[in-house]
Amino acid sequence: MSVEVDDTVLDDVPGLAERDPDHMLRAVASAAAQIRTALTASAEAGLEQLEQLGRPRAVVVAGMGGSGIAGDVLAAMAAPSAQAPVIVQREPGLPGWVGAADVVVAVSCSGGTQETLAATDEAIRRGAALVGIGAEGSPLARRCTQARAPFVPVVKQLAPRASMWALATPVLVTGGRLGLVDLSTADFEAAATRLEALSEACRPDREAFVNPAKQLALELAGSLPMVWGSGTTGGVAAYRFGCQLAENAKYPAAVGALPEAHHNQVVAFDGTLAGGSADHDLFRDRVDDADPLRLRLVLVHDDEGDEQASARVSVSEQIAQERGVPVSTLRSEGAGPVERLASLVGVIDYATVYLALLLGVDPTPVAPIDALKRRLA
């Protein structure tokens, strides 16, 4: 069966406000301000002392959920040229090899995430250099104060997932101080300006036919999205997409990255959710199909001028369309990597909230996560 939606819902501005009682759309619109506020907080946190460490053997970013994505952002941007690896730790504690030659960046929006606190305690015990990013006055902040480690305070938005730029900006600034990335204030300002433009283009009173986020939400409804990232930050943006679909819209997705997805996930184009074999009728009406969900390929392309990456995106579109799999493609805009990532994530964040509202789902609560925390406490 297919998902029935009323596409007029997204252009009913008062109705959208009723469906979004905690104002997740407003939280998404705070992204540009988050970058600017986080830059100021980073400048006042004493991160310049990191330059005295010299090149670290490795940098470990410890964080869960949206905090962990901040580490993914640094890892993606550092990978092409950094002389030290960036490892994102999504487990309690730290890998056994971490020691005094390494830097641990502990990221927790609340400052109280147990897995991240465990990693922080291990970093202190092993003598690794430490940087903390999280809520002021939190257990993480207190640990950093006691260890005389730099700490960047973060003001949480409605939910940690709505605070991505508040977390990612200090992580990137830290990476810059360690010589892993070469980013200027102008790079961050370009990203903030891009996010402001997207907030204007995606605001609730912009009708669906001129609103890229509403258009994408309508395309996603009733489909099983297979989200593939391409380019330097495309994989991070694709992973963000899958997480935001789950938390905002309570909606499933399969996430991958090119070229790896061409070696496995692409075969799903010949499966039952895609209509079967390649010789089926491409012109039949797929809207009335009895499939529980219809596969849709969503390409998230960080277009940095890499011809091979662009070719893979183009071929992906062709192979999918030849098999009757509809395609949605997001292509980045802007010059630097932070602005390009912002151009992708900005649309993604809005679209996943609009999909939730289109389906009659409150985007803010995460009841299963809350239940898991209670039972594991």
Side-chain angles (χ1 to χ4, degrees), residues 111-279:
T113 306
Q114 291 305 312
E115 296 89 343
T116 306
L117 293 177
T120 303
D121 291 339
E122 279 295 302
I124 295 170
R125 186 178 67 80
R126 299 185 198 180
L130 175 67
V131 176
I133 300 169
E136 193 167 16
S138 65
L140 177 59
R142 291 194 292 272
R143 281 166 167 80
C144 289
T145 298
Q146 292 167 1
R148 297 183 180 178
F151 180 81
V152 183
V154 169
V155 178
K156 185 182 79 171
Q157 295 299 315
L158 180 60
R161 64 186 181 276
S163 307
M164 173 183 154
W165 292 105
L167 298 166
T169 300
V171 172
L172 288 173
V173 173
T174 299
R177 293 293 188 180
L178 294 169
L180 301 177
V181 290
D182 183 13
L183 297 172
S184 67
T185 301
D187 290 313
F188 290 104
E189 181 56 32
T193 300
R194 177 71 60 179
L195 288 166
E196 285 178 330
L198 283 171
S199 290
E200 177 68 17
C202 300
R203 68 179 193 244
D205 61 353
R206 294 273 288 185
E207 295 180 322
F209 72 95
V210 293
N211 187 319
K214 289 182 179 181
Q215 290 173 6
L216 182 55
L218 289 167
E219 292 171 3
L220 293 172
S223 72
L224 175 60
M226 180 172 281
V227 187
W228 291 353
S230 175
T232 296
T233 67
V236 177
Y239 179 67
R240 169 74 171 180
F241 207 154
C243 293
Q244 291 292 80
L245 281 169
E247 291 194 75
N248 286 336
K250 287 64 179 175
Y251 204 86
V255 177
L258 298 178
E260 174 65 16
H262 281 174
H263 294 267
N264 37 61
Q265 291 187 2
V266 68
V267 185
F269 294 171
D270 278 347
T272 56
L273 296 187
S277 64
D279 60 355

Side-chain angles (χ1 to χ4, degrees), residues 59-64 67-68 87-96 98-99 102-108 111-133 139-140 143-144 147 149:
V59 175
V60 179
V61 182
M64 304 296 293
S67 301
I87 310 299
V88 182
Q89 175 74 359
R90 289 184 167 93
E91 299 284 344
L94 292 172
V98 174
D102 306 304
V103 176
V104 174
V105 184
V107 188
S108 170
T113 306
Q114 291 305 312
E115 296 89 343
T116 306
L117 293 177
T120 303
D121 291 339
E122 279 295 302
I124 295 170
R125 186 178 67 80
R126 299 185 198 180
L130 175 67
V131 176
I133 300 169
L140 177 59
R143 281 166 167 80
C144 289

